[in-house]
Amino acid sequence: MISKLIDKIVNTGAPIVVGLDPKLDFVPEDIKKRCFEEKGENLEGVAEAFWQFNKEIIDNIYDVVPAVKPQVAMYEEIGIPGLIAFKKTVDYCKEKGLIVIGDIKRGDIGSTAQSYAVGHLGGVKVGDKVFKGFDEDFVTVNPYLGSDGVKPFIDICNKEDKGIFVLAKTSNPSSGEFQDRLIDGKPLYEIVGAKIREWGEESTDGSYSNVGAVVGATYPEMGKVLREIMPHNYILVPGYGAQGGKGKDLVNFFNKDGLGAIVNSSRGIIAAWKSDNYKQFGDGKVGEAARAAVLDMKADIAGALAQ
Amino acid sequence: MISKLIDKIVNTGAPIVVGLDPKLDFVPEDIKKRCFEEKGENLEGVAEAFWQFNKEIIDNIYDVVPAVKPQVAMYEEIGIPGLIAFKKTVDYCKEKGLIVIGDIKRGDIGSTAQSYAVGHLGGVKVGDKVFKGFDEDFVTVNPYLGSDGVKPFIDICNKEDKGIFVLAKTSNPSSGEFQDRLIDGKPLYEIVGAKIREWGEESTDGSYSNVGAVVGATYPEMGKVLREIMPHNYILVPGYGAQGGKGKDLVNFFNKDGLGAIVNSSRGIIAAWKSDNYKQFGDGKVGEAARAAVLDMKADIAGALAQ
C-alpha cells in the first residue's frame, strides 16, 4: 500500500493529506439550512451537512492531492448518523481515486486490536461472503499497549495490502508529558520510533514500509532525530497550519530522496473559505478556497524542500 | 458518577463488571439461524445476533451486578450495523439500571479528544435541543497524548456527572514494552498513575474520584504499587478469568475499605455456556450460564477479600 501512496504523491507533486475533520462552525449557512430542512434540525441533519461539506471539498481537491485523512472523532461525536457520514466519505474518496487514512488512533490488547484491524482494514466472513465494515487504506494506531496492540494491524496490512501510521511524537502541547520522558537517556518517542522501525520490517513494500509513524510538525527537531531512526518508515506529519507548523519546519521530516513524509492540514484547508486569505472566492465558497489553500500549501512545502 | 457506581457495588455485593464483547463464536446456533433468517446472512444479521445474545445476558445478570462494559471494537468490527447494536446495548443496559462503561480507549489531541468526550459522555446542541451520540456513563481513555487528551473528558465528567478510567498498566503480555520502562527509576505506569491521581483531583465525588485507572489483573504486584499511588482513584481491573487473573490476585487492587476496584470478566461470563463448568444448563443456555458464572466470580472475589 505505501508504494501506491508514494506513486500518488509523486504524480501530484504534493506530499499532502487533507484532514476531513468537519465541524458545524466550518459549514456555510446555506448548506446547514438545506440539510436541516431535508433531514431535520438534529444529528441526521448535522451528518448530512458534514457529508455535503465534505463532498464539496473532495470534488475540488481530488485531482491535486494523493490522500485524505478523515478524523473519526468528529463523526463519532454525533453518533450513528455521523459514522454513516464517515463511511460515505471514505467510500466516496476511494471512488474518486484518493487514498484514505482513517485517523482512528485505536490501540488495545491483541484480540481487541484484531477487531479494530478487521473493522477498518479487513473484512468479516459471514457464511461464504466477506463484508467490510469501513475499509480505509491506512489507519493510525496508538502504541501504548506494545506489540500485542500493533501486530494484528500489521497482519492485516500484509493480507489485504493496507498500511498503518503508529503514533510516535504527537503534535499537541502536552505530548511531552510522557513521550519526552527519558528512558536509558533516550526519550520515550525515540524508543517507540525504534520499535516502529522494527515493526515496519514485517511489512515492506518497495523501499518503504507499510508501517509508518505519526510525528507532529510542531516538533521539527524531534522529527529530525526520528527521521534518522526510521529511514524506511513514512512519517505522517500533523500540526501544519492551524496548529502552528510552517513549511520550513517540514524539511526535517523528509529523506534525501524527497520522499518519506506526508503532511496533513485540516482546518487550514477545509475552513479556508472563512480565512481572510481566501475571501476573494466569496462567502461559503468552501471548495474553491480549499483548492487554493492546497495549492498554496504545495508551493510552501516545495519552496522549503528546494532550499 | 463514581458514587453511583460504588452504591451499586455495595448493594449487589459484587465489585464486578461484565464485559459485553460478543463474537459470532460465542452466539448459539439457534440465535444465529434466527437472526440470519430475519436480517440476512450479512453484517446486519451478525449485529442482530450480537444484540439478541447481549439481551439474553443482560436480562439474566442485571440484578446481580452493578455494571457492564461493552468493548466497542467488537461492534466496530462489523461496521455501522455493529455500532447500532452497540448503542442499542448501551441504551438497554441503562434502562435496566446498569452502569455502562464504554471500553473505547480513545485518546487524541485536545480538540479531537473533546469530540470523543462529547460523543460518548456529553451531548451536541443543534438548534435549541441537545442530542446524545452514545451516552455511556464511563469510558476508558488512553494517556499517551498527555493532559491535552484527558482534560476534555474530565470537563465533561464535571458537567454531566460522568466518569473515566485511564489506562495505566494494561493486562496484555506486551504491555511492559513501554509501560514498564524506567523513567528516573520508576516505571512509566507509575508515572502515569501519579498523573491519574493528579487528574482525579479535578473531579471528585465523595471519597473517590470520577477519574479512575485501568490496571490488569495479570500484574498483581504492580497493582499493589498503583493502589498506593492512587488511593482515591477507582481501579478497573481487566484480565480476570480467560486472560489468567485469579481471585487471590485481586486483593492488591482493593483498599482497606473493601472498595477501590471493580473487576471485569468478559469471555468467562458471556461464553460460560460453552465451558464444561456450566454445561449442566444445556447447550446454548447463554443467560443461565452467565448468571451462574457471575455468582461464582462474586464468591471467588469475596472469598479472596475475606482472607
Side-chain angles (χ1 to χ4, degrees):
Chain A
M1 176 52 74
I2 195 69
S3 64
K4 284 188 200 163
L5 179 61
I6 293 171
D7 285 349
K8 284 191 73 74
I9 291 172
V10 171
N11 289 339
T12 54
I16 292 175
V17 50
V18 175
L20 295 175
D21 309 349
K23 282 182 171 290
L24 215 41
D25 279 354
F26 301 164
V27 181
E29 284 307 319
D30 61 328
I31 297 185
K32 276 192 274 198
K33 193 162 172 284
R34 191 171 67 224
C35 295
F36 287 159
E37 276 169 15
E38 263 176 50
K39 303 278 175 178
E41 202 165 355
N42 52 32
L43 298 183
E44 283 76 14
V46 177
E48 181 65 20
F50 282 5
W51 157 244
Q52 294 201 13
F53 174 73
N54 283 350
K55 186 170 181 300
E56 189 166 335
I57 294 163
I58 298 159
D59 286 341
N60 280 277
I61 58 146
Y62 75 93
D63 58 330
V64 287
V65 294
V68 291
K69 180 174 77 60
Q71 167 53 263
V72 73
M74 273 67 201
Y75 305 85
E76 213 167 304
E77 179 170 3
I78 56 165
I80 303 291
L83 288 156
I84 292 171
F86 175 79
K87 182 168 165 46
K88 215 163 158 178
T89 299
V90 170
D91 292 346
Y92 186 68
C93 289
K94 291 178 73 174
E95 264 173 58
K96 298 298 270 184
L98 288 160
I99 288 178
V100 178
I101 303 171
D103 198 354
I104 64 171
K105 295 190 180 66
R106 303 302 193 244
D108 214 302
I109 66 168
S111 55
T112 308
Q114 168 76 13
S115 289
Y116 281 128
V118 168
H120 288 274
L121 300 176
V124 179
K125 207 169 173 203
V126 190
D128 50 11
K129 287 198 193 119
V130 173
F131 297 90
K132 306 212 165 201
F134 290 100
D135 203 24
E136 298 103 304
D137 298 307
F138 288 83
V139 292
T140 54
V141 175
N142 185 305
Y144 190 68
L145 287 91
S147 297
D148 291 349
V150 178
K151 291 279 177 81
F153 286 95
I154 299 177
D155 291 344
I156 302 250
C157 287
N158 284 327
K159 204 176 137 201
E160 308 267 356
D161 190 24
K162 302 273 184 163
I164 58 173
F165 292 97
V166 182
L167 307 186
K169 171 69 185 173
T170 56
S171 60
N172 57 315
S174 75
S175 67
E177 269 176 29
F178 305 123
Q179 296 167 26
D180 294 2
R181 297 300 300 267
L182 297 182
I183 293 165
D184 296 339
K186 283 184 189 161
L188 174 58
Y189 63 79
E190 288 189 27
I191 312 275
V192 173
K195 205 78 195 173
I196 291 171
R197 177 188 179 143
E198 196 184 308
W199 290 326
E201 286 161 8
E202 294 176 33
S203 187
T204 53
D205 175 25
S207 49
Y208 283 93
S209 168
N210 288 318
V211 179
V214 175
V215 185
T218 42
Y219 300 104
E221 288 310 312
M222 299 173 184
K224 193 174 184 175
V225 177
L226 284 164
R227 180 66 290 166
E228 280 164 23
I229 292 174
M230 311 177 295
H232 303 291
N233 305 83
Y234 242 75
I235 301 181
L236 169 64
V237 188
Y240 175 88
Q243 284 184 56
K246 308 248 181 288
K248 65 174 174 47
D249 297 332
L250 299 174
V251 178
N252 291 354
F253 297 87
F254 287 84
N255 275 323
K256 293 212 168 65
D257 58 6
L259 299 172
I262 182 163
V263 184
N264 180 75
S265 176
S266 301
R267 266 169 293 173
I269 292 170
I270 67 171
W273 71 275
K274 296 187 80 172
S275 143
D276 283 346
N277 296 337
Y278 300 102
K279 66 179 173 189
Q280 73 269 27
F281 295 105
D283 190 44
K285 294 292 177 192
V286 172
E288 289 92 326
R291 186 179 180 90
V294 162
L295 296 176
D296 287 348
M297 180 175 171
K298 183 177 164 183
D300 182 32
I301 296 175
L305 290 180
Q307 279 172 5
Chain B
M1 176 51 75
I2 194 70
S3 64
K4 284 188 200 162
L5 179 61
I6 293 171
D7 285 350
K8 285 192 72 75
I9 290 173
V10 171
N11 290 338
T12 55
I16 291 175
V17 50
V18 175
L20 295 175
D21 310 349
K23 281 181 171 288
L24 215 41
D25 278 353
F26 300 164
V27 181
E29 283 307 319
D30 61 328
I31 297 184
K32 275 192 275 197
K33 193 164 172 284
R34 193 170 66 226
C35 295
F36 288 158
E37 276 168 16
E38 264 176 48
K39 303 277 175 179
E41 201 164 355
N42 52 32
L43 298 183
E44 283 76 13
V46 177
E48 182 65 20
F50 282 4
W51 157 244
Q52 295 202 11
F53 173 75
N54 283 350
K55 185 170 183 299
E56 189 167 335
I57 294 163
I58 297 159
D59 286 341
N60 279 277
I61 58 148
Y62 75 93
D63 58 330
V64 287
V65 294
V68 291
K69 181 174 76 60
Q71 167 53 263
V72 74
M74 273 68 202
Y75 304 86
E76 213 167 302
E77 179 170 2
I78 56 165
I80 302 291
L83 288 156
I84 293 172
F86 175 80
K87 182 167 165 48
K88 214 164 160 181
T89 299
V90 170
D91 291 348
Y92 186 67
C93 289
K94 291 179 73 174
E95 264 173 58
K96 299 297 270 184
L98 288 160
I99 287 178
V100 178
I101 303 171
D103 198 353
I104 65 171
K105 294 190 180 68
R106 303 303 192 241
D108 214 303
I109 66 167
S111 55
T112 309
Q114 167 76 13
S115 288
Y116 281 128
V118 167
H120 288 274
L121 300 176
V124 179
K125 208 171 173 201
V126 189
D128 51 10
K129 287 198 192 118
V130 173
F131 296 90
K132 305 211 166 202
F134 290 101
D135 202 24
E136 298 102 304
D137 298 307
F138 288 85
V139 292
T140 54
V141 175
N142 185 306
Y144 191 68
L145 287 91
S147 297
D148 292 349
V150 177
K151 291 279 177 80
F153 286 95
I154 299 177
D155 290 344
I156 302 250
C157 287
N158 284 327
K159 203 176 137 202
E160 308 266 356
D161 190 23
K162 302 272 184 164
I164 58 173
F165 292 97
V166 183
L167 307 187
K169 171 70 185 173
T170 56
S171 60
N172 57 315
S174 75
S175 67
E177 269 176 29
F178 305 123
Q179 296 167 25
D180 293 2
R181 297 300 301 266
L182 297 181
I183 293 165
D184 295 339
K186 282 183 190 162
L188 174 59
Y189 62 80
E190 288 189 27
I191 311 274
V192 173
K195 205 78 196 175
I196 291 171
R197 177 186 179 144
E198 196 185 307
W199 290 326
E201 287 160 7
E202 293 177 34
S203 187
T204 54
D205 175 25
S207 50
Y208 284 93
S209 168
N210 289 318
V211 179
V214 175
V215 186
T218 41
Y219 299 104
E221 288 311 313
M222 299 173 185
K224 194 173 184 175
V225 177
L226 284 164
R227 180 67 291 166
E228 281 163 23
I229 293 173
M230 311 177 295
H232 302 292
N233 305 82
Y234 241 75
I235 301 181
L236 169 63
V237 189
Y240 175 88
Q243 285 183 57
K246 308 248 179 287
K248 66 175 172 48
D249 297 331
L250 299 173
V251 178
N252 292 353
F253 296 88
F254 287 84
N255 274 323
K256 292 212 167 66
D257 58 6
L259 299 172
I262 183 162
V263 183
N264 179 75
S265 176
S266 301
R267 265 170 293 173
I269 291 170
I270 67 172
W273 71 275
K274 295 187 82 173
S275 140
D276 282 346
N277 296 338
Y278 300 102
K279 66 178 174 192
Q280 73 269 26
F281 295 105
D283 189 45
K285 293 293 176 190
V286 171
E288 290 94 325
R291 187 178 180 92
V294 162
L295 297 176
D296 286 348
M297 180 176 171
K298 182 177 164 183
D300 183 31
I301 296 175
L305 290 180
Q307 279 174 3

